Amino acid sequence: MLVNTFRALHTTSTPLLLANVWDVPTAKISQKNGFKAIGTSSAALAATLGYEDGEELPFSELLFMIDKIASAVSIPLTVDIEAGYSDVPEETFEHIKSLVKLGVVGINIEDSKVLDGERSLVNADKFASFLSVIKGHLYKNNIDVFINVRTDTFLLNVKKTIAATKNRITQYQAAGADGIFIPCITNDTDIKAAVSHTRLPVNVMCMPELANFTDLTDLGVSRISMGNFIHQQQLQHFENTLIDIQATDSFNTLF
């Protein structure tokens, strides 16, 4: 089963380098170039369909895109479902169930929500309870899926960041998380503290100040993802190319 393969990729001697994709071509290119697993970027996928990040992309349209992506590749696919597309755990469970039916082996779910354009953390106790109910439904329905729980303590720069992060890790681990994702954590000491605080695999994200992969391996990181940065770079390259075509009155830049 692909989900078993995906779980095993978090326990190897080197971190799982996850390619973040947003459509069929990017998924196929990632597989072609030897990536062992792929994950969607919610921001990139939303932008591709003309939406802002923060669950503005309707879940029905997300499902349509995931169906296309999952059908195009044979490597494990994990999907970012943001905050779960509901405050009701039973509804989020149904969303996860529908993704698993398409062949998805993992999901990312985050402990913050975007309301009126502002992102804020959900209460840790409330979110842990939310996770626990979802995990209970998955267990009862014999659905095996890797739940990577994203905590946004560093992304939102909360006070006493590492202490707040450890508290949330403890609660999410007890609630049944399979992995912990900490976007925007970059300091080696903080990463080591987070990794040492849990038995779960820890996922970090591409950032300008992030250590190289060898150093991240030494720090005990299990998974490295790319976020929306490649998508942003691709769009910038597209814009630069168009500007050059206009400036030179030729297509030389393409060839």
Side-chain angles (χ1 to χ4, degrees), residues 90-111:
E90 288 78 11
E91 292 180 359
T92 298
F93 160 71
E94 290 296 333
H95 291 329
I96 296 170
K97 182 179 175 182
S98 63
L99 288 167
V100 171
K101 286 182 178 179
L102 298 179
V104 170
V105 301
I107 60 104
N108 270 20
I109 188 166
E110 60 205 34
D111 64 0

Side-chain angles (χ1 to χ4, degrees), residues 4-76:
N4 294 331
T5 300
F6 189 61
R7 287 184 184 280
L9 289 171
H10 292 78
T11 61
T12 60
S13 58
T14 57
L16 166 62
L17 179 59
L18 194 73
N20 283 108
V21 306
W22 53 91
D23 58 14
V24 170
T26 52
K28 285 185 172 181
I29 289 168
S30 300
Q31 177 170 276
K32 175 185 174 184
N33 283 277
F35 281 87
K36 296 178 180 178
I38 56 175
T40 58
S41 161
S42 64
L45 208 159
T48 298
L49 295 177
Y51 299 96
E52 294 294 326
D53 200 20
E55 297 185 4
E56 287 197 15
L57 170 68
F59 193 77
S60 59
E61 294 187 38
L62 173 67
L63 275 182
F64 174 82
M65 291 295 287
I66 297 307
D67 186 23
K68 297 297 183 183
I69 293 169
S71 299
V73 295
S74 58
I75 55 177

Side-chain angles (χ1 to χ4, degrees), residues 185-204:
I185 191 172
T186 58
N187 179 274
D188 288 2
T189 302
D190 289 339
I191 293 172
K192 187 66 175 178
V195 168
S196 300
H197 189 70
T198 180
R199 58 177 170 75
L200 300 178
V202 172
N203 179 182
V204 299

Side-chain angles (χ1 to χ4, degrees), residues 16-188:
L16 166 62
L17 179 59
L18 194 73
N20 283 108
V21 306
W22 53 91
D23 58 14
V24 170
T26 52
K28 285 185 172 181
I29 289 168
S30 300
Q31 177 170 276
K32 175 185 174 184
N33 283 277
F35 281 87
K36 296 178 180 178
I38 56 175
T40 58
S41 161
S42 64
L45 208 159
T48 298
L49 295 177
Y51 299 96
E52 294 294 326
D53 200 20
E55 297 185 4
E56 287 197 15
L57 170 68
F59 193 77
S60 59
E61 294 187 38
L62 173 67
L63 275 182
F64 174 82
M65 291 295 287
I66 297 307
D67 186 23
K68 297 297 183 183
I69 293 169
S71 299
V73 295
S74 58
I75 55 177
L77 167 65
T78 183
V79 173
D80 186 344
I81 62 168
E82 305 194 62
Y85 275 84
S86 177
D87 292 325
V88 180
E90 288 78 11
E91 292 180 359
T92 298
F93 160 71
E94 290 296 333
H95 291 329
I96 296 170
K97 182 179 175 182
S98 63
L99 288 167
V100 171
K101 286 182 178 179
L102 298 179
V104 170
V105 301
I107 60 104
N108 270 20
I109 188 166
E110 60 205 34
D111 64 0
S112 69
K113 283 185 174 290
V114 177
L115 295 173
D116 298 323
E118 293 291 327
R119 182 177 293 276
S120 59
L121 283 172
V122 177
N123 174 273
D125 293 338
K126 181 179 179 181
F127 192 73
S129 176
F130 180 73
L131 287 173
S132 183
V133 174
I134 291 170
K135 287 290 291 192
H137 284 297
L138 291 169
Y139 179 78
K140 289 176 185 176
N141 287 270
N142 197 32
I143 296 173
D144 188 13
V145 60
F146 190 100
I147 307 295
N148 200 40
V149 179
R150 177 180 126 178
T151 181
D152 282 346
T153 47
F154 277 85
L155 186 149
L156 294 173
N157 196 28
V158 302
K159 294 180 180 179
K160 299 180 180 178
T161 317
I162 194 63
T165 303
K166 286 181 176 180
N167 173 58
R168 287 175 180 264
I169 289 174
T170 298
Q171 294 201 55
Y172 302 163
Q173 179 174 296
D178 297 296
I180 298 292
F181 178 26
I182 315 172
C184 300
I185 191 172
T186 58
N187 179 274
D188 288 2

